[in-house]
Amino acid sequence: MMDRKLEEILKLAGGKENIRQVTQEDQVTRMSLEDSRKVDMSVPAASDLDATIRITGGECLLSLRDDSSDYYRLLRDMGTGEISHDHPQRETKRTYQKSLSILHFISEVFKPLMPAILGAAVLKIVLAFIALINIYNSSDLSSLLQSQTYMIFKSIGDSAFYLLPILVAVSTAYRLKSNMYVAAVIGGLMFYPQISYILSGEEEVQFMGVPMVSQAAFFSATLWIIMTILAASYVERAVERISPKWLKEIFAPALTFGIFVPLVLMVLGPLGAWIDKRMPVAVNSLLGDAPVVAVMLLGAVFALMLLAGLHYWLFPLILNELMVNGFSVIIPAMLVAYIAQAGAALAAGLRSREPEFRKLAFWAAGTALLGVPEPAIYAVNMRRRASFYAALIGGAIGGLYFGILSVKSFAISESASLLEIPSFMEDGTLNVLHTCIGLLLAFCASGLLAYWMAGRATKSKQV
């Protein structure tokens, strides 16, 4: 099927040699053509290709709707668009377009996972509404919340996020054209019962003399999984090139499992142990000496901490805050970061002309407001750097307001969301009002910034 599509694309473009450059952005694959006279205009009518041809002066651009980036990968794999031509200015543009964007790559990894994540998120939100009704309604729903039926539904909602490391590993391997089953094993390594027991924190753990952090979830953070599968794909290709044909499918996975994965653990283990010793002390010190700065920084960088698995070290600090002080200032910082991501995602959806992306952005903004920020962070804002940076700035602005007004949360919850605003209520103070103002400030600031920055980026591309 895809071979026939590739033949149609090459025929439409006037042959492989007529394609000067191939780029991909916003679910559209664009080809810059050498000679517009070689374009076969009869192909779109005879096929179901969603193609647009634009000729401006000496430039001929062929755009294809490519939701899954399949056309782009096929064209790049066959070396299309990499032939050198004597056009210095065009060569500069090609070098710029091929520059690696880790944010965009992470977004591409998460894009096919969105149906599962959004479906699970909606179920989690419905269950959260039921729990909220139980707290503030006169009717007692405790029997429902403790029932096995409710627990099973809760497990279904949590399953997509629990298995997220495996899903991310498989999606990364698919994009890199490496072995998806080897990647799934790597992604699920920390779920193995014996590994989970060893890293339970009951005793100090060492691997080949190297200290390991007692945070199994840290090793399964999105950033480390993607980087591990990316590096493993290079190892796999290198081994397959030098291995005998009959050994290729065995030697590469064996080498990856036996040598490469332990090497990754020996790098991440000491890194996690170093973070374990220093990060809680640093955050506690900052909260004590400069609480305004601390809340502002947490509001700004919490999305990055989520990406690298650093947020796991905040939960013991939150528990300590609640036990010692009776309130937490870290929870408000987490909430303002989520709301800022929602504002940026909504602005990205309003700016986009792609129907599928708009729909995803609107859903992602809604789930972020209700405590599930992953779709907004990974699938929407990381896809457009302007949106992601705007979300970080919006989180910092909201966090600054929270720090100045000493906004507090008086209860711990499963996830920071608008549903948890009642936990900010305090008798005799305006704490809940300042909470709403700070959240609105973060939402509007990130949304307006993302909308404005996206507009500037669009104008610069047109120029």
Side-chain angles (χ1 to χ4, degrees):
M1 178 68 175
M2 290 309 297
D3 290 340
R4 182 177 63 82
K5 291 286 186 184
L6 184 59
E7 291 177 4
E8 292 175 350
I9 292 170
L10 293 177
K11 183 180 178 182
L12 172 61
K16 175 184 174 182
E17 64 282 353
N18 195 41
I19 302 174
R20 182 173 63 242
Q21 177 187 0
V22 180
T23 59
Q24 204 271 347
E25 185 179 2
D26 297 341
Q27 300 175 331
V28 175
T29 293
R30 294 184 178 87
M31 287 170 276
S32 179
L33 307 181
E34 286 287 343
D35 189 350
S36 60
R37 293 172 296 181
K38 294 183 179 180
V39 175
D40 190 342
M41 303 296 292
S42 64
V43 173
S47 68
D48 58 353
L49 288 176
D50 188 356
T52 304
I53 300 171
R54 186 176 67 186
I55 302 174
T56 307
E59 290 287 335
C60 180
L61 290 177
L62 171 59
S63 301
L64 293 171
R65 179 69 180 272
D66 192 7
D67 293 337
S68 303
S69 303
D70 292 332
Y71 301 155
Y72 176 73
R73 286 196 296 270
L74 287 170
L75 291 167
R76 299 305 292 178
D77 288 346
M78 65 183 297
T80 305
E82 295 182 349
I83 302 174
S84 177
H85 299 275
D86 297 329
H87 300 291
Q89 292 181 348
R90 293 168 183 168
E91 187 68 31
T92 302
K93 289 182 180 179
R94 180 165 67 251
T95 303
Y96 173 78
Q97 290 287 352
K98 288 175 65 178
S99 62
L100 177 64
S101 171
I102 184 64
L103 295 181
H104 190 273
F105 182 78
I106 293 173
S107 178
E108 286 294 303
V109 167
F110 269 85
K111 187 169 69 173
L113 306 181
M114 281 304 104
I117 293 177
L118 285 172
V122 170
L123 184 56
K124 285 172 66 70
I125 290 167
V126 170
L127 296 176
F129 268 112
I130 295 174
L132 187 67
I133 292 171
N134 178 61
I135 295 173
Y136 296 102
N137 200 322
S138 57
S139 58
D140 186 11
L141 299 177
S142 56
S143 58
L144 172 63
L145 298 180
Q146 295 173 4
S147 68
Q148 293 178 343
T149 300
Y150 182 87
M151 293 301 177
I152 290 174
F153 273 117
K154 189 174 186 301
S155 299
I156 295 171
D158 291 336
S159 62
F161 299 93
Y162 180 77
L163 298 173
L164 192 59
I166 298 177
L167 299 177
V168 168
V170 171
S171 182
T172 304
Y174 174 78
R175 292 203 59 79
L176 297 171
K177 297 187 180 300
S178 59
N179 194 312
M180 292 187 291
Y181 306 104
V182 172
V185 173
I186 296 173
L189 174 64
M190 294 303 155
F191 299 140
Y192 189 69
Q194 194 164 352
I195 295 291
S196 300
Y197 173 75
I198 291 173
L199 295 177
S200 62
E202 296 182 3
E203 57 183 26
E204 185 177 344
V205 181
Q206 291 192 349
F207 176 68
M208 300 179 70
V210 175
M212 300 280 285
V213 62
S214 297
Q215 282 275 10
F218 170 72
F219 296 99
S220 298
T222 299
L223 181 63
W224 312 129
I225 288 292
I226 290 177
M227 291 181 66
T228 299
I229 303 304
L230 178 62
S233 69
Y234 285 105
V235 172
E236 181 182 327
R237 292 191 184 101
V239 172
E240 286 182 348
R241 279 198 298 268
I242 63 175
S243 300
K245 186 175 181 180
W246 59 278
L247 260 181
K248 282 185 179 181
E249 295 183 357
I250 300 174
F251 191 46
L255 185 65
T256 301
F257 291 147
I259 298 177
F260 179 72
V261 174
L263 284 176
V264 170
L265 295 178
M266 291 175 69
V267 172
L268 292 182
L271 175 62
W274 185 86
I275 294 170
D276 194 23
K277 291 179 180 178
R278 288 166 176 78
M279 182 177 159
V281 175
V283 174
N284 257 333
S285 176
L286 196 59
L287 285 171
D289 299 336
V292 175
V293 176
V295 176
M296 181 185 70
L297 289 178
L298 286 173
V301 305
F302 186 77
L304 297 175
M305 297 177 71
L306 196 67
L307 176 66
L310 302 181
H311 64 295
Y312 294 112
W313 277 275
L314 294 179
F315 296 116
L317 297 179
I318 293 173
L319 291 174
N320 183 66
E321 277 186 311
L322 291 171
M323 287 189 296
V324 175
N325 303 325
F327 60 83
S328 171
V329 297
I330 296 178
I331 293 176
M334 295 168 55
L335 178 56
V336 82
Y338 287 8
I339 301 303
Q341 293 290 337
L346 179 62
L350 293 173
R351 267 292 184 189
S352 176
R353 296 181 180 178
E354 297 290 333
E356 289 299 319
F357 182 80
R358 286 171 65 91
K359 181 172 66 175
L360 172 61
F362 294 152
W363 273 102
T367 59
L369 290 173
L370 296 174
V372 185
E374 285 85 356
I377 296 173
Y378 298 129
V380 179
N381 293 335
M382 280 190 175
R383 193 168 184 82
R384 290 170 167 81
R385 286 178 293 180
S387 297
F388 189 70
Y389 298 152
L392 301 186
I393 295 171
I397 293 173
L400 178 61
Y401 183 86
F402 276 6
I404 293 173
L405 276 299
S406 299
V407 173
K408 311 174 187 68
S409 174
F410 298 93
I412 192 169
S413 58
E414 187 173 335
S415 180
S417 77
L418 293 181
L419 299 178
E420 307 303 326
I421 286 182
S423 67
F424 288 77
M425 296 177 66
E426 183 183 21
D427 290 338
T429 71
L430 298 175
N431 189 68
V432 72
L433 175 62
H434 292 311
T435 299
C436 295
I437 294 173
L439 296 180
L440 185 62
L441 191 62
F443 184 84
C444 294
S446 62
L448 292 173
L449 272 173
Y451 196 86
W452 175 69
M453 292 167 69
R456 285 179 59 88
T458 303
K459 289 180 181 178
S460 64
K461 286 180 182 179
Q462 291 174 349
V463 173

